[in-house]
Amino acid sequence: MKKKILLLIAVLAIGLLFVNANPLEILETFAVPDAPNESEPQDADPDPDAPAVALDQPADAPAEEEMDIPQEPELPEIDFVNDSVDELVDRLSYMETPIEGRSVTSVNGQLPNAPRNYRNGVHEGLDYYNTIGRDVLAAGPGTVIRADHGYVEMTLEEYEDVIRRSITANGTPPELLDKLRGMQVWIEHPDGVVTRYAHLKEIRPEITEGTIVETGQAIATVGNTGMRANVTGVIESPSGEPHLHFEIWQGNTFLGQGRSPDTVRRLYSRILN
């Protein structure tokens, strides 16, 4: 009996509590929370190896862009025909004399463009006389692209045939002029300019095609190969003495081509002296 009375009091008390309550709120009060649905994703424990996200930066914020480093503008290709003397001197300032202690000649006949009537042509390089037995030096850093280690001198008959064919041609043909340069080394420099070292007596054994050389490195010895004096063994005039014939080329143009002797001398002197 007491239990019934207590139950009735409890019901009445609860009724008084919810007299002004919203029926939905009463139901929610007595509602049993639903069990979690295993098919729905649950919050996982944070990955300890995941990168931290700054509190003041959204997680999906884009990464900072790398700063662009300005590149130096590429220089235009050197132009032996149209560039001024000052421009050529500036671009070829890395070069030095191919014979230590020697300056550019004061003799016009030993400069580029000097006539060579005996073969119906012109001189395409610079001569360094009174240099018998001297070391020939690389005028600048670069890669050896030719080294005539197997050079065989022409016979007198072959030499005279080259001269005869040159005289009858309109200028000395390149393939014949190449024979008259004798033993040679060619070096291509980083800017594409090629220096040629001719009339050599011998080439250093380590100087072969593909060899990397530095400015002032000894590459050969002065001689007079390719010349009549070396073919016959008789020096008939001072021009037949051993000397270095040195050329600077860009494409099919030699440095100083078509310019006056004074301009050529000034150009070579400012670059090499």
mmCIF file of all heavy atoms in Angstrom, residues 238-265:
data_model
loop_
_atom_site.group_PDB
_atom_site.id
_atom_site.type_symbol
_atom_site.label_atom_id
_atom_site.label_comp_id
_atom_site.label_asym_id
_atom_site.label_seq_id
_atom_site.Cartn_x
_atom_site.Cartn_y
_atom_site.Cartn_z
ATOM 1 N N PRO A 238 113.372 35.472 -94.519
ATOM 2 C CA PRO A 238 112.933 35.573 -93.122
ATOM 3 C C PRO A 238 111.495 35.077 -92.906
ATOM 4 O O PRO A 238 111.164 34.567 -91.832
ATOM 5 C CB PRO A 238 113.060 37.069 -92.817
ATOM 6 C CG PRO A 238 114.123 37.549 -93.752
ATOM 7 C CD PRO A 238 113.927 36.754 -95.005
ATOM 8 N N SER A 239 110.649 35.215 -93.935
ATOM 9 C CA SER A 239 109.259 34.782 -93.774
ATOM 10 C C SER A 239 109.140 33.267 -93.623
ATOM 11 O O SER A 239 108.118 32.758 -93.148
ATOM 12 C CB SER A 239 108.425 35.234 -94.978
ATOM 13 O OG SER A 239 108.909 34.627 -96.166
ATOM 14 N N GLY A 240 110.191 32.536 -94.006
ATOM 15 C CA GLY A 240 110.156 31.081 -93.884
ATOM 16 C C GLY A 240 110.610 30.571 -92.523
ATOM 17 O O GLY A 240 110.588 29.357 -92.271
ATOM 18 N N GLU A 241 111.055 31.485 -91.655
ATOM 19 C CA GLU A 241 111.512 31.062 -90.323
ATOM 20 C C GLU A 241 110.347 30.556 -89.485
ATOM 21 O O GLU A 241 109.201 30.966 -89.673
ATOM 22 C CB GLU A 241 112.195 32.236 -89.630
ATOM 23 C CG GLU A 241 113.496 32.658 -90.269
ATOM 24 C CD GLU A 241 114.138 33.832 -89.532
ATOM 25 O OE1 GLU A 241 113.499 34.337 -88.581
ATOM 26 O OE2 GLU A 241 115.256 34.232 -89.924
ATOM 27 N N PRO A 242 110.640 29.660 -88.542
ATOM 28 C CA PRO A 242 109.579 29.174 -87.654
ATOM 29 C C PRO A 242 108.889 30.325 -86.936
ATOM 30 O O PRO A 242 109.540 31.278 -86.472
ATOM 31 C CB PRO A 242 110.333 28.268 -86.675
ATOM 32 C CG PRO A 242 111.528 27.802 -87.445
ATOM 33 C CD PRO A 242 111.924 28.982 -88.287
ATOM 34 N N HIS A 243 107.583 30.264 -86.871
ATOM 35 C CA HIS A 243 106.795 31.285 -86.184
ATOM 36 C C HIS A 243 105.410 30.704 -85.896
ATOM 37 O O HIS A 243 104.990 29.716 -86.500
ATOM 38 C CB HIS A 243 106.671 32.551 -87.041
ATOM 39 C CG HIS A 243 105.890 32.347 -88.305
ATOM 40 N ND1 HIS A 243 106.449 31.767 -89.429
ATOM 41 C CD2 HIS A 243 104.597 32.617 -88.629
ATOM 42 C CE1 HIS A 243 105.547 31.705 -90.398
ATOM 43 N NE2 HIS A 243 104.406 32.210 -89.926
ATOM 44 N N LEU A 244 104.698 31.336 -84.971
ATOM 45 C CA LEU A 244 103.317 30.936 -84.714
ATOM 46 C C LEU A 244 102.383 31.751 -85.596
ATOM 47 O O LEU A 244 102.463 32.977 -85.650
ATOM 48 C CB LEU A 244 102.937 31.177 -83.248
ATOM 49 C CG LEU A 244 101.442 30.941 -82.923
ATOM 50 C CD1 LEU A 244 101.062 29.483 -83.118
ATOM 51 C CD2 LEU A 244 101.103 31.419 -81.524
ATOM 52 N N HIS A 245 101.514 31.052 -86.302
ATOM 53 C CA HIS A 245 100.428 31.695 -87.034
ATOM 54 C C HIS A 245 99.159 31.466 -86.203
ATOM 55 O O HIS A 245 98.737 30.326 -85.988
ATOM 56 C CB HIS A 245 100.283 31.083 -88.430
ATOM 57 C CG HIS A 245 99.107 31.604 -89.196
ATOM 58 N ND1 HIS A 245 99.127 32.803 -89.863
ATOM 59 C CD2 HIS A 245 97.867 31.081 -89.385
ATOM 60 C CE1 HIS A 245 97.954 32.999 -90.443
ATOM 61 N NE2 HIS A 245 97.171 31.964 -90.164
ATOM 62 N N PHE A 246 98.544 32.565 -85.740
ATOM 63 C CA PHE A 246 97.432 32.494 -84.780
ATOM 64 C C PHE A 246 96.184 33.149 -85.378
ATOM 65 O O PHE A 246 96.245 34.294 -85.849
ATOM 66 C CB PHE A 246 97.838 33.226 -83.495
ATOM 67 C CG PHE A 246 96.750 33.370 -82.471
ATOM 68 C CD1 PHE A 246 96.236 32.264 -81.803
ATOM 69 C CD2 PHE A 246 96.239 34.621 -82.157
ATOM 70 C CE1 PHE A 246 95.233 32.402 -80.855
ATOM 71 C CE2 PHE A 246 95.253 34.787 -81.197
ATOM 72 C CZ PHE A 246 94.738 33.663 -80.548
ATOM 73 N N GLU A 247 95.067 32.431 -85.364
ATOM 74 C CA GLU A 247 93.823 32.940 -85.935
ATOM 75 C C GLU A 247 92.700 32.896 -84.898
ATOM 76 O O GLU A 247 92.666 32.006 -84.039
ATOM 77 C CB GLU A 247 93.399 32.106 -87.155
ATOM 78 C CG GLU A 247 94.425 32.093 -88.271
ATOM 79 C CD GLU A 247 94.020 31.202 -89.440
ATOM 80 O OE1 GLU A 247 92.951 30.542 -89.356
ATOM 81 O OE2 GLU A 247 94.772 31.165 -90.436
ATOM 82 N N ILE A 248 91.754 33.847 -85.026
ATOM 83 C CA ILE A 248 90.558 33.873 -84.175
ATOM 84 C C ILE A 248 89.340 33.910 -85.094
ATOM 85 O O ILE A 248 89.196 34.826 -85.916
ATOM 86 C CB ILE A 248 90.551 35.117 -83.246
ATOM 87 C CG1 ILE A 248 91.820 35.176 -82.408
ATOM 88 C CG2 ILE A 248 89.311 35.101 -82.347
ATOM 89 C CD1 ILE A 248 91.923 36.420 -81.515
ATOM 90 N N TRP A 249 88.465 32.931 -84.947
ATOM 91 C CA TRP A 249 87.316 32.789 -85.851
ATOM 92 C C TRP A 249 85.992 32.767 -85.093
ATOM 93 O O TRP A 249 85.898 32.238 -83.988
ATOM 94 C CB TRP A 249 87.422 31.489 -86.646
ATOM 95 C CG TRP A 249 88.457 31.509 -87.735
ATOM 96 C CD1 TRP A 249 89.799 31.328 -87.594
ATOM 97 C CD2 TRP A 249 88.226 31.749 -89.124
ATOM 98 N NE1 TRP A 249 90.427 31.428 -88.813
ATOM 99 C CE2 TRP A 249 89.482 31.675 -89.778
ATOM 100 C CE3 TRP A 249 87.092 31.989 -89.890
ATOM 101 C CZ2 TRP A 249 89.624 31.849 -91.148
ATOM 102 C CZ3 TRP A 249 87.229 32.166 -91.260
ATOM 103 C CH2 TRP A 249 88.482 32.102 -91.877
ATOM 104 N N GLN A 250 84.977 33.337 -85.757
ATOM 105 C CA GLN A 250 83.597 33.186 -85.330
ATOM 106 C C GLN A 250 82.804 32.803 -86.570
ATOM 107 O O GLN A 250 82.651 33.581 -87.496
ATOM 108 C CB GLN A 250 83.060 34.491 -84.725
ATOM 109 C CG GLN A 250 81.642 34.397 -84.156
ATOM 110 C CD GLN A 250 80.592 34.980 -85.089
ATOM 111 O OE1 GLN A 250 80.885 35.836 -85.917
ATOM 112 N NE2 GLN A 250 79.376 34.504 -84.973
ATOM 113 N N GLY A 251 82.338 31.546 -86.591
ATOM 114 C CA GLY A 251 81.694 31.050 -87.805
ATOM 115 C C GLY A 251 82.680 31.042 -88.954
ATOM 116 O O GLY A 251 83.779 30.485 -88.855
ATOM 117 N N ASN A 252 82.302 31.692 -90.054
ATOM 118 C CA ASN A 252 83.168 31.723 -91.239
ATOM 119 C C ASN A 252 83.921 33.044 -91.378
ATOM 120 O O ASN A 252 84.391 33.378 -92.468
ATOM 121 C CB ASN A 252 82.317 31.487 -92.498
ATOM 122 C CG ASN A 252 81.705 30.103 -92.525
ATOM 123 O OD1 ASN A 252 82.359 29.128 -92.173
ATOM 124 N ND2 ASN A 252 80.451 30.012 -92.931
ATOM 125 N N THR A 253 84.032 33.785 -90.277
ATOM 126 C CA THR A 253 84.684 35.095 -90.327
ATOM 127 C C THR A 253 85.857 35.148 -89.359
ATOM 128 O O THR A 253 85.704 34.778 -88.189
ATOM 129 C CB THR A 253 83.684 36.215 -89.962
ATOM 130 O OG1 THR A 253 82.519 36.102 -90.785
ATOM 131 C CG2 THR A 253 84.307 37.588 -90.142
ATOM 132 N N PHE A 254 87.017 35.599 -89.843
ATOM 133 C CA PHE A 254 88.153 35.753 -88.934
ATOM 134 C C PHE A 254 88.145 37.149 -88.335
ATOM 135 O O PHE A 254 87.641 38.114 -88.942
ATOM 136 C CB PHE A 254 89.490 35.436 -89.623
ATOM 137 C CG PHE A 254 89.845 36.294 -90.798
ATOM 138 C CD1 PHE A 254 90.479 37.534 -90.634
ATOM 139 C CD2 PHE A 254 89.579 35.873 -92.102
ATOM 140 C CE1 PHE A 254 90.834 38.317 -91.719
ATOM 141 C CE2 PHE A 254 89.919 36.657 -93.196
ATOM 142 C CZ PHE A 254 90.542 37.887 -93.007
ATOM 143 N N LEU A 255 88.697 37.290 -87.156
ATOM 144 C CA LEU A 255 88.686 38.570 -86.459
ATOM 145 C C LEU A 255 89.490 39.604 -87.236
ATOM 146 O O LEU A 255 90.649 39.374 -87.569
ATOM 147 C CB LEU A 255 89.275 38.404 -85.055
ATOM 148 C CG LEU A 255 89.255 39.657 -84.172
ATOM 149 C CD1 LEU A 255 87.830 40.099 -83.881
ATOM 150 C CD2 LEU A 255 90.010 39.410 -82.871
ATOM 151 N N GLY A 256 88.845 40.746 -87.509
ATOM 152 C CA GLY A 256 89.502 41.812 -88.259
ATOM 153 C C GLY A 256 89.252 41.762 -89.748
ATOM 154 O O GLY A 256 89.732 42.636 -90.483
ATOM 155 N N GLN A 257 88.504 40.768 -90.206
ATOM 156 C CA GLN A 257 88.282 40.603 -91.646
ATOM 157 C C GLN A 257 87.683 41.874 -92.261
ATOM 158 O O GLN A 257 86.681 42.399 -91.789
ATOM 159 C CB GLN A 257 87.349 39.411 -91.891
ATOM 160 C CG GLN A 257 87.160 39.063 -93.358
ATOM 161 C CD GLN A 257 86.482 37.712 -93.541
ATOM 162 O OE1 GLN A 257 86.498 36.874 -92.645
ATOM 163 N NE2 GLN A 257 85.890 37.494 -94.696
ATOM 164 N N GLY A 258 88.353 42.376 -93.302
ATOM 165 C CA GLY A 258 87.865 43.548 -94.014
ATOM 166 C C GLY A 258 88.171 44.876 -93.359
ATOM 167 O O GLY A 258 87.789 45.927 -93.888
ATOM 168 N N ARG A 259 88.888 44.893 -92.242
ATOM 169 C CA ARG A 259 89.181 46.155 -91.551
ATOM 170 C C ARG A 259 90.601 46.623 -91.906
ATOM 171 O O ARG A 259 91.444 45.841 -92.350
ATOM 172 C CB ARG A 259 89.026 45.993 -90.049
ATOM 173 C CG ARG A 259 87.634 45.478 -89.658
ATOM 174 C CD ARG A 259 87.384 45.532 -88.180
ATOM 175 N NE ARG A 259 86.162 44.826 -87.806
ATOM 176 C CZ ARG A 259 85.240 45.289 -86.981
ATOM 177 N NH1 ARG A 259 85.381 46.484 -86.428
ATOM 178 N NH2 ARG A 259 84.158 44.576 -86.686
ATOM 179 N N SER A 260 90.867 47.890 -91.679
ATOM 180 C CA SER A 260 92.160 48.476 -92.033
ATOM 181 C C SER A 260 93.258 47.946 -91.109
ATOM 182 O O SER A 260 92.973 47.494 -89.988
ATOM 183 C CB SER A 260 92.099 49.995 -91.903
ATOM 184 O OG SER A 260 91.982 50.364 -90.534
ATOM 185 N N PRO A 261 94.534 47.998 -91.558
ATOM 186 C CA PRO A 261 95.636 47.511 -90.709
ATOM 187 C C PRO A 261 95.686 48.194 -89.346
ATOM 188 O O PRO A 261 95.915 47.528 -88.325
ATOM 189 C CB PRO A 261 96.883 47.820 -91.549
ATOM 190 C CG PRO A 261 96.396 47.807 -92.958
ATOM 191 C CD PRO A 261 95.003 48.367 -92.905
ATOM 192 N N ASP A 262 95.475 49.499 -89.302
ATOM 193 C CA ASP A 262 95.522 50.206 -88.015
ATOM 194 C C ASP A 262 94.414 49.731 -87.081
ATOM 195 O O ASP A 262 94.633 49.543 -85.877
ATOM 196 C CB ASP A 262 95.402 51.719 -88.239
ATOM 197 C CG ASP A 262 96.667 52.319 -88.842
ATOM 198 O OD1 ASP A 262 97.725 51.646 -88.777
ATOM 199 O OD2 ASP A 262 96.601 53.441 -89.375
ATOM 200 N N THR A 263 93.221 49.543 -87.637
ATOM 201 C CA THR A 263 92.101 49.063 -86.816
ATOM 202 C C THR A 263 92.356 47.640 -86.326
ATOM 203 O O THR A 263 92.113 47.321 -85.156
ATOM 204 C CB THR A 263 90.785 49.105 -87.624
ATOM 205 O OG1 THR A 263 90.524 50.443 -88.036
ATOM 206 C CG2 THR A 263 89.622 48.603 -86.783
ATOM 207 N N VAL A 264 92.880 46.801 -87.216
ATOM 208 C CA VAL A 264 93.166 45.414 -86.839
ATOM 209 C C VAL A 264 94.231 45.367 -85.747
ATOM 210 O O VAL A 264 94.094 44.633 -84.761
ATOM 211 C CB VAL A 264 93.621 44.603 -88.075
ATOM 212 C CG1 VAL A 264 94.153 43.238 -87.647
ATOM 213 C CG2 VAL A 264 92.460 44.430 -89.049
ATOM 214 N N ARG A 265 95.278 46.145 -85.904
ATOM 215 C CA ARG A 265 96.348 46.152 -84.896
ATOM 216 C C ARG A 265 95.805 46.623 -83.545
ATOM 217 O O ARG A 265 96.105 46.038 -82.505
ATOM 218 C CB ARG A 265 97.509 47.031 -85.348
ATOM 219 C CG ARG A 265 98.681 47.043 -84.350
ATOM 220 C CD ARG A 265 99.849 47.885 -84.839
ATOM 221 N NE ARG A 265 100.476 47.310 -86.011
ATOM 222 C CZ ARG A 265 100.311 47.755 -87.258
ATOM 223 N NH1 ARG A 265 99.545 48.814 -87.483
ATOM 224 N NH2 ARG A 265 100.910 47.171 -88.268
#
